[in-house]
Amino acid sequence: MISVFALPAPALCEEATEEARVGVAQMRPGEKKEKDDAPKAKSLGKDVAGVFVNASVSDSGYSPGFVMRGFPGGLTLFDGAAHGFTSQEVNLSTVDHVEFYKGPSAMLFGKALGGYGGSANYIRKAPTTETFARGTATIGAYDVYRTTFDVNAPLNDAQTLLFRMTGFAQSVGSFVDYVRSRGFLLAPTGTLILDNGDKATLRAEYSASRLVYRDGAPAAPIFLHAPRSFYAGAPVYEHETPNAADFTFTYEHAFGADWSLTSVVDYSLNGNQYGWFQGWGYDGLHSVTLGRPVRTHQASRSFDAQLRLNGRFSTGDIGHSVFLGLEHWDYFFGHDEKFARDTLPNIDIGAPIYPVGVDFFGAQWANGAARAWSRSVYAQDLIDLSPQWRILFGGRYDLLAQRETVFDPLGALSGTSSSTIGKGIRGYFSPRAGLLYRPDDETHFFAAFGRSLIPNISVRVRGGDAPPPQQDTQYEVGFERRFPDYKARFEVGLFDVTRDHVAIADPADPGGFYALVTGRQHSHGVEFHLSAEILPGLNASGAATFLHAVVAKDSNVPSQAGSDLLGAPRRVFSVSLDYKPEWDFLRGLELGASYYYASAAEATLPNVYGFTLAPQQMLGASLGYRFDEHWKLDVSASNLTDRPNFTSGGALFRGEPRSISATVSFKY
């Protein structure tokens, strides 16, 4: 199930719960979420206006990344809260459903969320008072084998001690030679309900995997015609071993019907080893250049603690729903590199010969560490002036500190022998405001303004000071109309986003080690969404986005000014149909069809005349049948026309060809 925190209107609408203070999750009219439904990587976000999946979508157990309103998706949200300013990979087996926050409504809990393009909010599976065991087994094209399980049970008769365990294991191949991965995840969660109604929840998660990374291909027109199985790297060398552990403790206390307090503490550890190349690219003829191999080991640690107070009160005839919070975040990142002295031979596109190993004899090295922390306070007041008018004021103050050290005695990383240190501390205020007018219960007009910040972590500037963060400013107006008799809803929104202090390469440092923080990017556009139950059991949904996202300023590469941003096609459309027959003899059958279109997009920055990616078009279909209350079969097919859909993020990635998968689900 996909919910949409579409625009600021839901953040100001009638429901006065904690959700309503920051946005209200909305299902498509007529849609019913079954308890064992789960979001699917191949379709996630494709029916949401303003969202573009700028990734090689495959049948994976992990969420893809998103571009929202022209900008890469901001922070990863879990249960409505970001763990600091960092993003994380999300395994969908742990997720109940996904919500999309866009525009100023993305400043959930007063937090300025990594940019007002938007963010995905992953609502994780939590313990309940039910007793059940669920699982799935999936087999699909390109050697996809995946199993998931979900077990929930109260641990005492009073149902005050609850436990839930979710898990995942998969092995996935690819249509690209050598690319493969296998991994697993375990996520136990326990909840204790105290006599006074307080609730304490402890959640743990551990995941590990091994994979051969897919490089994509250099951004040159010749690679649009390379064999789809072509691997542009050294497969024997480009293996990774990521692993992660995360612990979250939540305590909830209600002072009464109108006031509640929630505290959240999250601690996560991540580590990985991977290979890359200094000099990966295109030789201008017919080969991929690899250059010097580099092996990196990295580790990160993130600690985040939040205290949030929700309340309601009145001043005369005016009602207030307030939201107050404190947050402390501390992030550390360490890395060390080993550089081979010799370059690897080029890889011919037509007759590839891959290296069989890498020699690190006499290798050079470099290492470094970065730390950032913030101490923040945020507040928000949703004011009911009358049944027709509602206004919102909020803001967040972040005291942000950064420190980075790099030790590169041989100049292997930076191009010259160097030992650098960067540090700084500064405060930032991010305001937010909104206005809603409701002539009746089914019609909403709204306007909103918001500002956010995004720390430029691990961006190095000359002079030893930490760089200022990116700052986004967005304006938005919109309209929503619901038609209860037809189970339909129509939404339209216009937005304008400006991103300042974008890090760009320092022209005095051709190696790219140092940066300038002077760039500016700008996006504006309009979004539409329409959904309805057009016949009994037949639900239709359509979304359309028209936008123009460009580089507004770049003092290093003036030719980039006016260039379209990567991953920002100017038009995106999607249509989906879901049908559940209501006749008894067809009960249990589910049919679906979808069509997705994204217009031609630029492949490079600055944009190169004549080098654009062809429009994406994807036709999908699904068939499901529930045999009884325990067993269900789902079969889905994607890219039925087998189009070679490409995306670009600085490298070219070919989308997955025609594929089909089948999943058997059980529930007891």
Side-chain angles (χ1 to χ4, degrees), residues 277-326:
F277 303 97
Q278 282 190 316
W280 185 83
Y282 175 48
D283 69 352
L285 298 173
H286 53 78
S287 296
V288 175
T289 61
L290 298 179
R292 297 174 66 191
V294 186
R295 192 73 183 167
T296 291
H297 175 255
Q298 69 175 42
S300 66
R301 182 250 321 141
S302 179
F303 173 82
D304 186 77
Q306 299 183 46
L307 187 66
R308 307 193 294 260
L309 176 67
N310 307 315
R312 306 177 192 174
F313 65 94
S314 297
T315 53
D317 295 331
I318 298 177
H320 299 263
S321 297
V322 297
F323 192 78
L324 308 172
L326 300 171

Short mmCIF file of all heavy atoms in Angstrom, two decimals, residues 277-326:
data_model
loop_
_atom_site.label_atom_id
_atom_site.label_comp_id
_atom_site.label_asym_id
_atom_site.label_seq_id
_atom_site.Cartn_x
_atom_site.Cartn_y
_atom_site.Cartn_z
N PHE A 277 37.65 2.61 -9.00
CA PHE A 277 38.75 2.91 -9.90
C PHE A 277 38.98 4.41 -10.02
O PHE A 277 38.02 5.18 -10.15
CB PHE A 277 38.48 2.33 -11.30
CG PHE A 277 38.22 0.86 -11.31
CD1 PHE A 277 36.93 0.37 -11.32
CD2 PHE A 277 39.27 -0.04 -11.29
CE1 PHE A 277 36.69 -0.98 -11.33
CE2 PHE A 277 39.04 -1.40 -11.29
CZ PHE A 277 37.74 -1.87 -11.31
N GLN A 278 40.22 4.82 -9.98
CA GLN A 278 40.59 6.18 -10.32
C GLN A 278 40.85 6.23 -11.82
O GLN A 278 41.89 5.81 -12.30
CB GLN A 278 41.85 6.61 -9.57
CG GLN A 278 41.63 6.98 -8.13
CD GLN A 278 42.87 7.61 -7.53
OE1 GLN A 278 43.99 7.14 -7.73
NE2 GLN A 278 42.67 8.68 -6.77
N GLY A 279 39.88 6.71 -12.55
CA GLY A 279 40.04 6.77 -14.00
C GLY A 279 38.97 6.02 -14.75
O GLY A 279 39.07 5.84 -15.98
N TRP A 280 37.90 5.56 -14.06
CA TRP A 280 36.81 4.86 -14.74
C TRP A 280 36.11 5.82 -15.70
O TRP A 280 35.78 6.95 -15.33
CB TRP A 280 35.81 4.33 -13.72
CG TRP A 280 34.70 3.49 -14.29
CD1 TRP A 280 34.75 2.17 -14.60
CD2 TRP A 280 33.37 3.92 -14.60
NE1 TRP A 280 33.55 1.74 -15.08
CE2 TRP A 280 32.67 2.80 -15.10
CE3 TRP A 280 32.71 5.14 -14.52
CZ2 TRP A 280 31.35 2.87 -15.49
CZ3 TRP A 280 31.39 5.21 -14.92
CH2 TRP A 280 30.72 4.08 -15.40
N GLY A 281 35.92 5.38 -16.94
CA GLY A 281 35.28 6.24 -17.93
C GLY A 281 35.36 5.65 -19.32
O GLY A 281 35.43 4.43 -19.49
N TYR A 282 35.40 6.51 -20.32
CA TYR A 282 35.33 6.11 -21.73
C TYR A 282 36.53 6.70 -22.45
O TYR A 282 36.87 7.88 -22.26
CB TYR A 282 34.02 6.62 -22.31
CG TYR A 282 33.84 6.40 -23.79
CD1 TYR A 282 34.08 5.16 -24.38
CD2 TYR A 282 33.41 7.46 -24.61
CE1 TYR A 282 33.90 4.98 -25.74
CE2 TYR A 282 33.22 7.28 -25.97
CZ TYR A 282 33.48 6.03 -26.53
OH TYR A 282 33.31 5.84 -27.88
N ASP A 283 37.18 5.88 -23.29
CA ASP A 283 38.39 6.36 -23.98
C ASP A 283 38.09 7.13 -25.26
O ASP A 283 39.01 7.57 -25.95
CB ASP A 283 39.32 5.18 -24.28
CG ASP A 283 38.78 4.24 -25.35
OD1 ASP A 283 37.60 4.39 -25.76
OD2 ASP A 283 39.52 3.33 -25.77
N GLY A 284 36.81 7.30 -25.61
CA GLY A 284 36.45 8.04 -26.81
C GLY A 284 36.44 7.20 -28.06
O GLY A 284 36.08 7.69 -29.13
N LEU A 285 36.81 5.92 -27.96
CA LEU A 285 36.84 5.03 -29.12
C LEU A 285 35.84 3.90 -28.94
O LEU A 285 34.72 3.97 -29.42
CB LEU A 285 38.26 4.50 -29.32
CG LEU A 285 39.32 5.58 -29.62
CD1 LEU A 285 40.72 4.96 -29.63
CD2 LEU A 285 39.02 6.27 -30.93
N HIS A 286 36.25 2.84 -28.24
CA HIS A 286 35.35 1.69 -28.08
C HIS A 286 35.62 0.93 -26.79
O HIS A 286 35.28 -0.25 -26.68
CB HIS A 286 35.51 0.74 -29.28
CG HIS A 286 36.93 0.34 -29.54
ND1 HIS A 286 37.60 -0.61 -28.81
CD2 HIS A 286 37.83 0.81 -30.45
CE1 HIS A 286 38.83 -0.73 -29.25
NE2 HIS A 286 39.01 0.12 -30.26
N SER A 287 36.24 1.59 -25.78
CA SER A 287 36.61 0.87 -24.58
C SER A 287 36.28 1.65 -23.32
O SER A 287 36.23 2.89 -23.33
CB SER A 287 38.11 0.56 -24.58
OG SER A 287 38.45 -0.32 -25.63
N VAL A 288 36.08 0.90 -22.23
CA VAL A 288 35.94 1.47 -20.90
C VAL A 288 37.33 1.55 -20.28
O VAL A 288 38.09 0.58 -20.30
CB VAL A 288 35.03 0.58 -20.02
CG1 VAL A 288 34.99 1.13 -18.59
CG2 VAL A 288 33.63 0.51 -20.60
N THR A 289 37.67 2.71 -19.74
CA THR A 289 38.93 2.86 -19.02
C THR A 289 38.68 2.59 -17.53
O THR A 289 37.65 2.98 -16.99
CB THR A 289 39.51 4.27 -19.19
OG1 THR A 289 38.59 5.22 -18.65
CG2 THR A 289 39.74 4.58 -20.66
N LEU A 290 39.62 1.90 -16.90
CA LEU A 290 39.50 1.59 -15.48
C LEU A 290 40.45 2.43 -14.63
O LEU A 290 40.10 2.91 -13.57
CB LEU A 290 39.76 0.10 -15.24
CG LEU A 290 38.76 -0.86 -15.93
CD1 LEU A 290 39.14 -2.30 -15.64
CD2 LEU A 290 37.34 -0.58 -15.47
N GLY A 291 41.67 2.60 -15.07
CA GLY A 291 42.64 3.36 -14.29
C GLY A 291 43.14 2.56 -13.10
O GLY A 291 43.15 1.33 -13.10
N ARG A 292 43.54 3.27 -12.04
CA ARG A 292 44.11 2.62 -10.86
C ARG A 292 43.02 2.05 -9.97
O ARG A 292 42.07 2.75 -9.60
CB ARG A 292 44.94 3.62 -10.04
CG ARG A 292 46.14 4.18 -10.74
CD ARG A 292 46.80 5.26 -9.89
NE ARG A 292 47.37 4.73 -8.66
CZ ARG A 292 47.80 5.50 -7.66
NH1 ARG A 292 47.71 6.82 -7.75
NH2 ARG A 292 48.32 4.95 -6.58
N PRO A 293 43.13 0.78 -9.57
CA PRO A 293 42.16 0.22 -8.62
C PRO A 293 42.39 0.77 -7.22
O PRO A 293 43.52 1.01 -6.80
CB PRO A 293 42.43 -1.28 -8.67
CG PRO A 293 43.29 -1.50 -9.87
CD PRO A 293 44.05 -0.24 -10.09
N VAL A 294 41.29 0.95 -6.51
CA VAL A 294 41.33 1.40 -5.12
C VAL A 294 40.42 0.48 -4.31
O VAL A 294 39.32 0.13 -4.76
CB VAL A 294 40.84 2.85 -4.98
CG1 VAL A 294 41.04 3.35 -3.55
CG2 VAL A 294 41.54 3.77 -5.98
N ARG A 295 40.90 0.11 -3.14
CA ARG A 295 40.08 -0.69 -2.23
C ARG A 295 39.81 0.13 -0.98
O ARG A 295 40.74 0.63 -0.33
CB ARG A 295 40.81 -1.99 -1.85
CG ARG A 295 39.92 -3.01 -1.13
CD ARG A 295 38.96 -3.62 -2.10
NE ARG A 295 38.03 -4.55 -1.45
CZ ARG A 295 36.95 -5.03 -2.03
NH1 ARG A 295 36.66 -4.69 -3.27
NH2 ARG A 295 36.16 -5.87 -1.40
N THR A 296 38.53 0.30 -0.65
CA THR A 296 38.14 1.13 0.48
C THR A 296 37.44 0.30 1.54
O THR A 296 36.59 -0.55 1.23
CB THR A 296 37.20 2.26 0.02
OG1 THR A 296 37.93 3.20 -0.77
CG2 THR A 296 36.61 3.00 1.21
N HIS A 297 37.80 0.56 2.77
CA HIS A 297 37.06 0.04 3.92
C HIS A 297 36.45 1.23 4.64
O HIS A 297 37.15 2.21 4.92
CB HIS A 297 37.98 -0.73 4.87
CG HIS A 297 37.27 -1.18 6.12
ND1 HIS A 297 37.46 -0.57 7.33
CD2 HIS A 297 36.35 -2.15 6.33
CE1 HIS A 297 36.70 -1.16 8.25
NE2 HIS A 297 36.02 -2.11 7.67
N GLN A 298 35.15 1.16 4.92
CA GLN A 298 34.50 2.28 5.57
C GLN A 298 33.58 1.78 6.68
O GLN A 298 33.10 0.65 6.66
CB GLN A 298 33.69 3.11 4.58
CG GLN A 298 32.45 2.40 4.04
CD GLN A 298 31.62 3.31 3.16
OE1 GLN A 298 32.14 4.06 2.34
NE2 GLN A 298 30.30 3.24 3.31
N ALA A 299 33.33 2.63 7.64
CA ALA A 299 32.42 2.33 8.74
C ALA A 299 31.77 3.62 9.20
O ALA A 299 32.38 4.70 9.13
CB ALA A 299 33.17 1.66 9.90
N SER A 300 30.55 3.53 9.65
CA SER A 300 29.85 4.71 10.15
C SER A 300 29.04 4.35 11.39
O SER A 300 28.65 3.20 11.59
CB SER A 300 28.93 5.31 9.07
OG SER A 300 27.87 4.43 8.77
N ARG A 301 28.81 5.37 12.21
CA ARG A 301 28.01 5.23 13.41
C ARG A 301 27.10 6.42 13.53
O ARG A 301 27.52 7.56 13.33
CB ARG A 301 28.92 5.12 14.63
CG ARG A 301 28.20 4.91 15.94
CD ARG A 301 28.25 6.11 16.87
NE ARG A 301 29.48 6.85 16.91
CZ ARG A 301 29.49 8.17 16.99
NH1 ARG A 301 28.37 8.86 16.98
NH2 ARG A 301 30.64 8.82 17.04
N SER A 302 25.83 6.18 13.81
CA SER A 302 24.87 7.28 13.95
C SER A 302 24.08 7.10 15.23
O SER A 302 23.56 6.01 15.51
CB SER A 302 23.92 7.33 12.75
OG SER A 302 22.97 8.38 12.89
N PHE A 303 23.99 8.17 16.01
CA PHE A 303 23.19 8.17 17.25
C PHE A 303 22.19 9.32 17.14
O PHE A 303 22.56 10.45 16.82
CB PHE A 303 24.09 8.37 18.47
CG PHE A 303 23.31 8.55 19.75
CD1 PHE A 303 22.82 7.45 20.44
CD2 PHE A 303 23.05 9.81 20.25
CE1 PHE A 303 22.10 7.61 21.61
CE2 PHE A 303 22.33 9.99 21.42
CZ PHE A 303 21.85 8.88 22.11
N ASP A 304 20.93 9.02 17.44
CA ASP A 304 19.89 10.04 17.36
C ASP A 304 18.94 9.88 18.53
O ASP A 304 18.45 8.77 18.80
CB ASP A 304 19.13 9.94 16.04
CG ASP A 304 18.15 11.08 15.85
OD1 ASP A 304 18.60 12.19 15.51
OD2 ASP A 304 16.94 10.87 16.05
N ALA A 305 18.66 10.96 19.23
CA ALA A 305 17.72 10.95 20.35
C ALA A 305 16.74 12.10 20.19
O ALA A 305 17.15 13.23 19.91
CB ALA A 305 18.46 11.08 21.68
N GLN A 306 15.44 11.80 20.35
CA GLN A 306 14.41 12.81 20.19
C GLN A 306 13.43 12.74 21.34
O GLN A 306 13.12 11.66 21.87
CB GLN A 306 13.65 12.61 18.87
CG GLN A 306 14.51 12.71 17.63
CD GLN A 306 13.69 12.58 16.36
OE1 GLN A 306 12.64 13.20 16.23
NE2 GLN A 306 14.17 11.78 15.43
N LEU A 307 12.91 13.91 21.72
CA LEU A 307 11.85 14.03 22.72
C LEU A 307 10.77 14.90 22.12
O LEU A 307 11.03 16.06 21.75
CB LEU A 307 12.40 14.66 24.01
CG LEU A 307 11.45 14.70 25.21
CD1 LEU A 307 11.14 13.28 25.69
CD2 LEU A 307 12.06 15.52 26.34
N ARG A 308 9.53 14.36 22.01
CA ARG A 308 8.48 15.05 21.28
C ARG A 308 7.23 15.17 22.16
O ARG A 308 6.77 14.19 22.75
CB ARG A 308 8.15 14.30 19.99
CG ARG A 308 9.36 14.03 19.12
CD ARG A 308 8.95 13.57 17.74
NE ARG A 308 8.29 12.28 17.72
CZ ARG A 308 8.88 11.14 17.41
NH1 ARG A 308 10.17 11.13 17.10
NH2 ARG A 308 8.21 10.01 17.39
N LEU A 309 6.67 16.36 22.22
CA LEU A 309 5.47 16.63 23.01
C LEU A 309 4.35 17.09 22.08
O LEU A 309 4.52 18.02 21.30
CB LEU A 309 5.76 17.73 24.04
CG LEU A 309 4.57 18.20 24.90
CD1 LEU A 309 4.11 17.09 25.83
CD2 LEU A 309 4.95 19.45 25.69
N ASN A 310 3.20 16.43 22.17
CA ASN A 310 2.02 16.78 21.38
C ASN A 310 0.93 17.25 22.34
O ASN A 310 0.75 16.68 23.42
CB ASN A 310 1.47 15.58 20.61
CG ASN A 310 2.53 14.92 19.78
OD1 ASN A 310 3.30 15.58 19.11
ND2 ASN A 310 2.58 13.59 19.83
N GLY A 311 0.18 18.26 21.93
CA GLY A 311 -0.90 18.71 22.79
C GLY A 311 -1.95 19.52 22.06
O GLY A 311 -1.73 20.00 20.94
N ARG A 312 -3.10 19.66 22.72
CA ARG A 312 -4.19 20.48 22.20
C ARG A 312 -4.69 21.39 23.31
O ARG A 312 -4.79 20.98 24.47
CB ARG A 312 -5.35 19.61 21.72
CG ARG A 312 -5.00 18.54 20.72
CD ARG A 312 -6.24 17.74 20.41
NE ARG A 312 -5.94 16.52 19.66
CZ ARG A 312 -6.84 15.59 19.37
NH1 ARG A 312 -8.09 15.73 19.77
NH2 ARG A 312 -6.49 14.51 18.69
N PHE A 313 -5.05 22.60 22.94
CA PHE A 313 -5.66 23.52 23.89
C PHE A 313 -6.41 24.58 23.09
O PHE A 313 -6.27 24.70 21.87
CB PHE A 313 -4.62 24.15 24.82
CG PHE A 313 -3.64 25.05 24.12
CD1 PHE A 313 -3.86 26.42 24.04
CD2 PHE A 313 -2.48 24.53 23.54
CE1 PHE A 313 -2.96 27.26 23.40
CE2 PHE A 313 -1.58 25.36 22.90
CZ PHE A 313 -1.82 26.73 22.83
N SER A 314 -7.20 25.38 23.79
CA SER A 314 -7.99 26.43 23.14
C SER A 314 -7.74 27.76 23.83
O SER A 314 -7.51 27.82 25.04
CB SER A 314 -9.48 26.10 23.21
OG SER A 314 -9.77 24.90 22.50
N THR A 315 -7.79 28.81 23.03
CA THR A 315 -7.77 30.18 23.54
C THR A 315 -9.06 30.84 23.03
O THR A 315 -9.12 31.29 21.89
CB THR A 315 -6.54 30.95 23.04
OG1 THR A 315 -6.47 30.87 21.62
CG2 THR A 315 -5.27 30.35 23.63
N GLY A 316 -10.08 30.82 23.88
CA GLY A 316 -11.38 31.29 23.43
C GLY A 316 -11.97 30.31 22.42
O GLY A 316 -12.05 29.11 22.66
N ASP A 317 -12.37 30.83 21.27
CA ASP A 317 -12.95 29.99 20.23
C ASP A 317 -11.90 29.44 19.26
O ASP A 317 -12.25 28.77 18.29
CB ASP A 317 -13.98 30.80 19.43
CG ASP A 317 -15.18 31.20 20.27
OD1 ASP A 317 -15.49 30.46 21.22
OD2 ASP A 317 -15.77 32.26 19.98
N ILE A 318 -10.64 29.72 19.51
CA ILE A 318 -9.56 29.30 18.60
C ILE A 318 -8.86 28.08 19.18
O ILE A 318 -8.43 28.07 20.34
CB ILE A 318 -8.55 30.44 18.40
CG1 ILE A 318 -9.24 31.65 17.75
CG2 ILE A 318 -7.38 29.97 17.53
CD1 ILE A 318 -8.35 32.85 17.58
N GLY A 319 -8.79 27.03 18.38
CA GLY A 319 -8.14 25.80 18.80
C GLY A 319 -6.70 25.72 18.33
O GLY A 319 -6.37 26.21 17.24
N HIS A 320 -5.85 25.11 19.15
CA HIS A 320 -4.44 24.95 18.83
C HIS A 320 -4.05 23.48 18.95
O HIS A 320 -4.39 22.82 19.95
CB HIS A 320 -3.56 25.77 19.77
CG HIS A 320 -3.81 27.23 19.73
ND1 HIS A 320 -3.04 28.10 18.97
CD2 HIS A 320 -4.75 28.00 20.34
CE1 HIS A 320 -3.48 29.32 19.12
NE2 HIS A 320 -4.52 29.30 19.96
N SER A 321 -3.33 22.99 17.98
CA SER A 321 -2.68 21.67 18.05
C SER A 321 -1.19 21.93 17.94
O SER A 321 -0.70 22.31 16.87
CB SER A 321 -3.16 20.76 16.93
OG SER A 321 -4.54 20.50 17.03
N VAL A 322 -0.47 21.74 19.03
CA VAL A 322 0.94 22.11 19.07
C VAL A 322 1.82 20.87 19.06
O VAL A 322 1.42 19.78 19.48
CB VAL A 322 1.25 22.97 20.32
CG1 VAL A 322 0.49 24.27 20.27
CG2 VAL A 322 0.95 22.20 21.60
N PHE A 323 3.02 21.10 18.60
CA PHE A 323 3.99 20.03 18.47
C PHE A 323 5.35 20.61 18.82
O PHE A 323 5.80 21.56 18.17
CB PHE A 323 3.97 19.52 17.02
CG PHE A 323 4.71 18.24 16.82
CD1 PHE A 323 4.16 17.04 17.19
CD2 PHE A 323 5.98 18.25 16.25
CE1 PHE A 323 4.85 15.86 17.00
CE2 PHE A 323 6.67 17.08 16.05
CZ PHE A 323 6.10 15.87 16.43
N LEU A 324 6.00 20.10 19.86
CA LEU A 324 7.28 20.60 20.32
C LEU A 324 8.27 19.45 20.37
O LEU A 324 7.91 18.32 20.68
CB LEU A 324 7.15 21.22 21.72
CG LEU A 324 6.06 22.28 21.91
CD1 LEU A 324 5.94 22.64 23.39
CD2 LEU A 324 6.35 23.50 21.08
N GLY A 325 9.54 19.74 20.08
CA GLY A 325 10.51 18.66 20.09
C GLY A 325 11.93 19.12 20.31
O GLY A 325 12.30 20.27 20.03
N LEU A 326 12.75 18.21 20.83
CA LEU A 326 14.19 18.38 20.98
C LEU A 326 14.87 17.19 20.33
O LEU A 326 14.35 16.06 20.36
CB LEU A 326 14.58 18.44 22.46
CG LEU A 326 13.98 19.55 23.32
CD1 LEU A 326 14.32 19.32 24.79
CD2 LEU A 326 14.47 20.92 22.87
#
